Amino acid sequence: MKLYLIAVEPSADQLGADLVTELRVLRPDISFAGIGGPRMKAAGIPSQMDIDGLAILGITEALRRLPLVRNKIIVATERIETAQPDAVIFLDSYGFMIRLAERLRKRGFDKTLIKYVAPQVWAMRPSRAPRVARLFDGLLTLHPFEAEYFTPLGLPTHYVGNAVYDTNYRAGDAQAIREQYNLGDRPILSVYFGSRQSEVVRLAKPFADAVVSLKKSLPDLAVISPVSDSVAKDVGAAAGADPRLNEIILLPESAKLDAMACATAALACSGTVTTQLACAGVPTVVAYRLSGLTYLIVKQLFKPDYMSMVNIAADEPLMPEFVQSDVTGDTLAQAVLPYLTDTKKRDAARAALIAQTDSLRGPKTVTASARAAQGVLDILAEA
């Protein structure tokens, strides 16, 4: 049996690598090919296509990159058709994946198509559910309640859980970063710019403003930032354009757990990393900016009161959130400062985040990736 995996964003790349590892345990005879990033490559699946530029969010960004996306979909289709796999697994990234699946179906590709991570129809745009059900033969979901949107449409749906909870984010070495950069016992702010170019571009200035403001109150504050390969060039370019970002010590993404372990507090772009920080118990302030047009549309459609999953689950802002015009250096600095200076506030935030993520994790006897691997095999058996 041959499986083809596609991932065009860092979080999906990790999902793919973990899924392959577990599938090899269950079925050593399966062979793999695919399109992905460094983690899938490390798992033995070198990418058959360059995915640079495909981590896209927002209407204006999608329109601007439409020629690139169309070209990549054509290339990906050719790679899949040439590989002739028994099944294709599409990892997250709804916009790109749905268009690729549609092109494959129109060209008569009749093999099993599996979507891993459902579009968040519970949060906005429930009309996506019928489109997913029409194109795919099986769906793996992160949340148990998502099945109710897809199974009535005839799509076999398997709840596997969120793989983010498979990692112990409190296992980092706090002293490693402090010793490597001679930080002593200084307070440390850990900064996360996001995993997309547009996120780095929109948040670089307010994050730099916040760092400057915080350093006025805490001159000995150290600022670190683990940077993913997908945006390393973008962060470097932002630092070149704004010398104030040189105050931030840039770390490889491989140092993320150590960075979380030593962080007194964090400032983060909304995304998977906020759940990781919550699991680590790092008091965090969350920021996000979209293009004006995208924000107006999302504001009308998005149902939850919060962006971060930990806040949505708790139904309260365990991590303070700031969006659009509220994302300024002053507002971010004012929100972060108490976590850096008030031990009681910091400890209370840490305890609340750990308690909430522990409840979301639940009793873990089998990892989400292992359940996903079994789900893939079950879907293939049912197809």
Side-chain angles (χ1 to χ4, degrees):
M1 181 185 294
K2 185 175 187 178
L3 301 183
Y4 201 100
L5 284 75
I6 309 171
V8 298
E9 295 193 339
S11 58
D13 185 35
Q14 184 68 62
L15 277 182
D18 293 342
L19 177 61
V20 167
T21 298
E22 296 295 343
L23 280 168
R24 283 178 175 144
V25 172
L26 297 176
R27 286 284 301 273
D29 60 310
I30 294 178
S31 63
F32 297 92
I35 293 167
R39 293 170 184 80
M40 280 176 51
K41 181 178 180 181
I45 308 177
S47 183
Q48 295 185 353
M49 183 184 80
D50 181 8
I51 63 172
D52 188 40
L54 291 177
I56 299 170
L57 185 69
I59 295 170
T60 55
E61 185 182 1
L63 290 173
R64 189 169 61 251
R65 297 194 188 182
L66 189 57
L68 170 69
V69 171
R70 284 175 172 169
N71 176 260
K72 295 292 187 182
I73 287 174
I74 291 171
V75 174
T77 301
E78 292 173 351
R79 299 291 186 269
I80 293 167
E81 290 175 338
T82 299
Q84 283 298 300
D86 296 287
V88 184
I89 302 172
F90 299 73
L91 297 143
D92 210 350
S93 307
Y94 173 84
F96 181 86
M97 300 303 176
I98 203 77
R99 289 166 177 79
L100 176 57
E102 284 180 333
R103 189 167 196 273
L104 284 167
R105 291 304 195 200
K106 286 178 182 178
R107 290 174 60 84
F109 189 84
D110 61 356
K111 303 298 184 180
T112 302
L113 303 187
I114 299 171
K115 184 74 172 68
Y116 185 3
V117 182
Q120 293 182 337
V121 295
W122 50 271
M124 61 184 292
R125 300 180 71 173
S127 60
R128 288 177 168 181
R131 196 174 180 188
V132 170
R134 174 172 56 86
L135 291 168
F136 294 97
D137 301 294
L139 176 67
L140 307 177
T141 71
L142 306 188
H143 309 292
F145 56 80
E146 290 178 300
E148 66 187 72
Y149 294 92
F150 299 97
T151 52
L153 301 173
L155 180 62
T157 302
H158 298 253
Y159 162 61
V160 300
N162 194 334
V164 72
Y165 299 117
D166 292 346
T167 299
N168 179 7
Y169 286 95
R170 300 198 288 275
D173 184 348
Q175 285 301 114
I177 301 297
R178 289 186 180 275
E179 291 177 0
Q180 183 176 353
Y181 294 96
N182 195 28
L183 300 180
D185 59 356
R186 296 164 61 185
I188 295 177
L189 175 69
S190 192
V191 176
Y192 302 83
F193 288 96
S195 59
R196 300 178 177 91
Q197 180 190 38
S198 60
E199 292 168 341
V200 176
V201 170
R202 293 191 179 108
L203 293 177
K205 184 182 184 301
F207 279 15
D209 290 342
V211 168
V212 170
S213 179
L214 288 166
K215 278 187 162 290
K216 289 178 181 177
S217 301
L218 295 169
D220 64 338
L221 178 68
V223 187
I224 62 176
S225 178
V227 178
S228 68
D229 293 340
S230 63
V231 293
K233 291 180 181 178
D234 302 313
V235 173
D242 189 342
R244 297 175 304 164
L245 291 172
N246 291 322
E247 293 280 349
I248 301 175
I249 300 170
L250 299 181
L251 310 173
E253 190 176 23
S254 59
K256 181 184 283 187
L257 292 187
D258 292 345
M260 290 181 179
C262 73
T264 312
L267 175 60
C269 172
S270 178
T272 302
V273 73
T274 60
T275 303
Q276 296 170 342
L277 286 161
C279 290
V282 181
T284 301
V285 171
V286 181
Y288 209 75
R289 278 181 172 176
L290 293 161
S291 70
L293 175 60
T294 300
Y295 177 67
L296 288 175
I297 295 172
V298 169
K299 187 177 181 181
Q300 296 298 318
L301 298 177
F302 194 71
K303 299 175 185 177
D305 294 328
Y306 304 102
M307 299 180 290
S308 309
M309 286 305 304
V310 66
N311 289 347
I312 292 172
D315 196 26
E316 62 177 303
L318 300 183
M319 291 178 160
E321 297 180 348
F322 298 90
V323 184
Q324 291 305 98
S325 59
D326 290 335
V327 180
T328 68
D330 285 342
T331 56
L332 297 177
Q334 289 172 16
V336 171
L337 186 60
Y339 293 137
L340 295 170
T341 58
D342 187 333
T343 302
K344 288 185 178 180
K345 184 176 180 65
R346 182 167 64 245
D347 289 347
R350 173 181 171 80
L353 291 170
I354 289 175
Q356 184 61 52
T357 52
D358 281 351
S359 70
L360 292 172
R361 179 182 292 107
K364 299 285 286 187
T365 55
V366 180
T367 67
S369 295
R371 284 196 293 268
Q374 185 59 58
V376 166
L377 297 180
D378 290 343
I379 291 168
L380 291 172
E382 296 164 359

